Amino acid sequence: MASSNTVICDVCESQHRTTNADFWCPECDEGLCSECLKYHNALKATRAHEVIPVENYKQLPTSITNISQHCSEHDRKFQNYCPQHESLCCPLCIQSNHANCVGILSLENVIKTAKTSVLLESLDQNLKDIKMNIERVVKDRKQNLTEIQKQTQKFHDEIKQVRTRINEHLDTLEEQIHQDLSAAEKKVISQIEDLIGKLAENTENVNAMENNISAIKEYASDLQAFLGSKMIETEIKKYETILQSLFDDGSLQKIDINCKIEDKITDILSNVTSLGSISIKSSTPLVSMKTGKEIQAQTRSLPYVPPSTINDITMTLRRTYNFSGIAGCSTSPTGDLILIDNVNHRLLILKEDGTLKSYIPLSTQHPVDGTCIDDKTVAVSFPVSKQIQIIKVSTKTVDRTIQTAGNCYGLCYSDDHLLYCDTGRGIQKVNMSDNCSSTLVKDNTLSAWSYIATSKDRIFYTNNFKHTVTCCSLVGEKIWENKDQCIRSPRGISVDKDSNVYIASSGNNSIVVLSPDGKQARKLLQEDDGISELFGLAFDVKKENVLVANDCKPALYSLS
């Protein structure tokens, strides 16, 4: 902003007087005191000038107040504007620099509508757009920070769990090897002590024989000495044989206990240098921004094709499919139809003509909705067991299970994220790369049998109990909410290429279409058209077909 310094009256200053200015004349580019203003208003040349209070003048930015109305080169007032060079011109400028320029305009005519010009309005709108985009980006980045913190805590817990499991496993191995070592030691000790015990008994007998020899020498008769010596000789040979047998049978081999640590354990110290690796992955931004200029450029560069209005839309029945109890549906990238059988707990994949391509029994009861992640993978919601299963179509197996905090009903897939309706909590978002979840739209009134769809940069969801349809941005900002009388207990929801929104209104057995701004509603089909017990909807943008899931017979409609 301009400096708050005092502004001097230029008229007084020209007369060598210093007086504070009370007013400012933009056309004269001079400050005026109250006395000089009287003469300014009286003079024919300046009486039509619109002056402003000097305090208002101080509110102008310095860059604006520094704009001069006089040509610095010729010291003449600017009177014209050259569109070719986009520059102001004084009469001498035209002669010297713009003699060959075509379309020189009167500056008075150019600037008289400057404050009300489309450019100024456009700039004002651009600034509002920038502010809004900044707010959206800040919200998106804060949400990303929250997700990062959750991811970091999740991985901290995983690392701790891995370390705990490793410690517990090593403790078990350590206890086992200690037990083995103790058992080996006891076995060896027992063997050696048994041998020592036997030798001790033999030693006592040898000592006794030594005493006998001494007695024979002292007191025995010659006959007794002869026969006694023979008896002792036999005993000695027996003990010599016993001792020799100890050498022969290995009883006197040196015994050692060895402990060899498993190589794979010691390899950890040298080969395993980390518990894992950390990487940073970037994906497509969830927040989108477009300026007014970009929109205008797109409008100029693309041929204009009028979007269809809801009054132009009709739905024509193409075929029905002989399955009952279907609560959810989807279409695959290859054009196959996905049906979720809530009653028989199975996932059905059909060709458009009704041919059954694949039948996948589901291990968990009462599935509700499904969405294709790609042509090989389908996500299915199970509100009763509070989980979402990611199912591999080719192997008919559950690739992984995502636990949900509440009862999950409708779900859809967009840009590596699963979005689902969580009863009493709102719209939840799951990052498929790490299973981290977060609340995208907080709504504690969200009811059971609510469904969700995405299109371009919008999210649409129904609230079965509140009879509402809500549209949000990709970062969860509410754009509009519809509560039209022709929509009762809405369930399935889908969107066409023109952003028209299709609703399965189960409360009055009808298919309703909403305009992209959510302000207009129109019934396309109703009970007289065979519509009843409605659940999920799926739109095939390429073929412009609508798949309707119901409790009786799912049906495929074409739009025209």
Side-chain angles (χ1 to χ4, degrees):
M1 300 300 293
S3 171
S4 60
N5 293 337
T6 302
V7 178
I8 303 300
C9 174
D10 292 282
V11 177
C12 291
E13 188 177 28
S14 67
Q15 301 174 53
H16 308 293
R17 295 193 313 238
T18 301
T19 309
N20 292 342
D22 299 310
F23 299 92
W24 181 267
C25 177
E27 294 191 47
C28 295
D29 198 23
E30 288 184 334
L32 300 168
C33 65
S34 299
E35 188 65 27
C36 291
L37 178 63
K38 297 178 182 178
Y39 298 105
H40 182 275
N41 292 339
L43 291 173
K44 183 177 181 180
T46 58
R47 67 178 62 161
H49 292 183
E50 293 185 8
V51 298
I52 59 173
V54 75
E55 292 303 320
N56 292 355
Y57 168 73
K58 291 179 181 179
Q59 299 301 311
L60 290 172
T62 304
S63 59
I64 300 300
T65 59
N66 288 340
I67 296 175
S68 175
Q69 299 189 34
H70 290 77
C71 174
S72 59
E73 183 180 352
H74 304 109
D75 197 23
R76 298 288 187 92
K77 189 173 182 179
F78 291 123
Q79 297 180 11
N80 299 93
Y81 178 76
C82 175
Q84 186 173 335
H85 293 93
E86 294 187 348
S87 64
L88 301 176
C89 310
C90 72
L92 294 181
C93 287
I94 295 176
Q95 295 177 14
S96 59
N97 301 323
H98 302 275
N100 297 321
C101 294
V102 179
I104 300 293
L105 302 174
S106 166
L107 185 59
E108 183 180 359
N109 292 334
V110 171
I111 67 173
K112 65 182 179 181
T113 59
K115 290 185 178 181
T116 58
S117 68
V118 174
L119 174 61
L120 205 57
E121 290 182 4
S122 175
L123 294 175
D124 188 41
Q125 183 59 47
N126 287 347
L127 291 173
K128 291 178 180 177
D129 290 342
I130 290 172
K131 286 177 63 179
M132 180 189 69
N133 285 330
I134 289 174
E135 291 173 359
R136 295 178 67 191
V137 168
V138 169
K139 182 178 179 180
D140 176 75
R141 293 298 86 198
K142 286 182 177 180
Q143 188 172 347
N144 199 177
L145 280 177
T146 302
E147 290 182 0
I148 290 294
Q149 291 168 353
K150 289 182 179 179
Q151 291 168 0
T152 302
Q153 185 58 50
K154 173 177 175 287
F155 293 130
H156 273 306
D157 295 341
E158 285 186 2
I159 292 168
K160 187 174 181 179
Q161 289 172 7
V162 170
R163 177 61 184 272
T164 300
R165 289 200 302 269
I166 291 173
N167 288 346
E168 290 174 350
H169 186 57
L170 289 176
D171 288 342
T172 302
L173 295 179
E174 181 183 6
E175 183 180 355
Q176 182 63 50
I177 199 169
H178 278 309
Q179 291 175 356
D180 294 345
L181 181 60
S182 178
E185 181 187 22
K186 288 179 181 179
K187 181 180 179 181
V188 171
I189 290 174
S190 177
Q191 291 175 352
I192 294 176
E193 287 181 344
D194 287 346
L195 179 59
I196 291 173
K198 291 177 182 178
L199 293 174
E201 292 177 3
N202 292 335
T203 301
E204 290 178 2
N205 293 333
V206 169
N207 290 335
M209 285 189 290
E210 283 183 333
N211 293 332
N212 290 340
I213 290 174
S214 296
I216 289 171
K217 288 178 180 180
E218 241 2 271
Y219 308 113
S221 65
D222 292 339
L223 178 61
Q224 289 174 330
F226 174 75
L227 293 176
S229 298
K230 292 293 183 180
M231 292 173 59
I232 292 172
E233 181 182 20
T234 302
E235 285 294 317
I236 289 173
K237 287 182 178 180
K238 183 176 75 171
Y239 287 113
E240 287 177 344
T241 301
I242 291 173
L243 287 175
Q244 184 61 45
S245 67
L246 294 179
F247 286 95
D248 294 339
D249 65 12
S251 297
L252 298 182
Q253 288 182 344
K254 185 176 181 298
I255 299 175
D256 294 307
I257 295 178
N258 290 324
C259 179
K260 185 178 185 303
I261 303 299
E262 175 64 43
D263 289 339
K264 292 181 180 179
I265 295 294
T266 56
D267 284 348
I268 292 177
L269 301 176
S270 57
N271 296 338
V272 180
T273 59
S274 69
L275 283 178
S277 61
I278 305 299
S279 62
I280 298 174
K281 176 186 175 184
S282 298
S283 57
T284 306
L286 293 179
V287 62
S288 61
M289 293 174 285
K290 285 189 178 181
T291 65
K293 291 182 179 179
E294 288 174 341
I295 295 171
Q296 291 171 7
Q298 290 176 1
T299 303
R300 288 194 295 267
S301 61
L302 298 175
Y304 177 71
V305 179
S308 61
T309 67
I310 61 173
N311 294 323
D312 300 327
I313 299 172
T314 59
M315 292 180 65
T316 304
L317 179 63
R318 296 189 58 187
R319 58 178 53 85
T320 59
Y321 304 97
N322 293 320
F323 298 98
S324 60
I326 305 301
C329 58
S330 182
T331 59
S332 77
T334 58
D336 292 333
L337 309 180
I338 311 297
L339 300 180
I340 307 300
D341 189 339
N342 175 266
V343 176
N344 300 298
H345 322 305
R346 58 185 181 171
L347 187 154
L348 305 171
I349 302 177
L350 283 67
K351 292 183 180 179
E352 190 177 302
D353 62 5
T355 304
L356 183 63
K357 286 186 64 175
S358 184
Y359 164 94
I360 304 176
L362 300 175
S363 59
T364 306
Q365 294 186 344
H366 304 302
V368 167
D369 199 15
T371 186
C372 287
I373 295 175
D374 52 44
D375 60 346
K376 300 177 182 177
T377 315
V378 178
V380 180
S381 63
F382 298 86
V384 175
S385 57
K386 296 182 180 179
Q387 63 179 251
I388 297 170
Q389 291 184 1
I390 310 301
I391 298 172
K392 289 292 184 183
V393 174
S394 58
T395 59
K396 299 184 180 182
T397 57
V398 178
D399 181 60
R400 56 177 153 153
T401 299
I402 300 169
Q403 294 298 139
T404 62
N407 305 109
C408 53
Y409 282 84
L411 76 165
C412 66
Y413 175 77
S414 175
D415 192 26
D416 202 35
H417 286 79
L418 270 180
L419 307 177
Y420 66 90
C421 298
D422 198 343
T423 303
R425 298 180 72 239
I427 305 302
Q428 306 298 309
K429 179 176 70 173
V430 180
N431 190 327
M432 293 297 291
S433 61
D434 55 21
N435 276 15
C436 283
S437 63
S438 60
T439 300
L440 182 63
V441 179
K442 187 177 181 181
D443 186 354
N444 56 14
T445 68
L446 193 63
S447 67
W449 297 106
S450 296
Y451 287 71
I452 185 171
T454 61
S455 177
K456 301 175 183 176
D457 58 348
R458 296 286 184 267
I459 300 168
F460 306 85
Y461 66 94
T462 59
N463 191 319
N464 185 257
F465 290 175
K466 287 181 65 180
H467 314 293
T468 58
V469 179
T470 304
C471 172
C472 297
S473 69
L474 291 179
V475 292
E477 299 170 335
K478 182 187 288 187
I479 298 173
W480 55 258
E481 184 174 88
N482 180 285
K483 195 174 183 180
D484 196 278
Q485 290 298 318
C486 68
I487 298 176
R488 308 303 300 165
S489 300
R491 291 178 179 170
I493 186 169
S494 196
V495 189
D496 68 15
K497 62 181 177 59
D498 295 320
S499 298
N500 299 307
V501 186
Y502 299 79
I503 311 298
S505 180
S506 65
N508 53 13
N509 291 323
S510 60
I511 302 292
V512 178
V513 62
L514 295 176
S515 58
D517 59 5
K519 294 180 179 180
Q520 296 176 293
R522 173 173 167 257
K523 284 186 180 181
L524 294 177
L525 298 173
Q526 47 196 349
E527 197 165 6
D528 294 343
D529 300 304
I531 298 294
S532 64
E533 297 295 329
L534 294 169
F535 287 93
L537 287 182
F539 190 87
D540 189 330
V541 176
K542 293 180 181 178
K543 298 180 179 179
E544 294 197 336
N545 290 336
V546 181
L547 181 60
V548 179
N550 56 51
D551 197 40
C552 301
K553 282 187 177 182
L556 185 68
Y557 293 85
S558 61
L559 295 184
S560 58

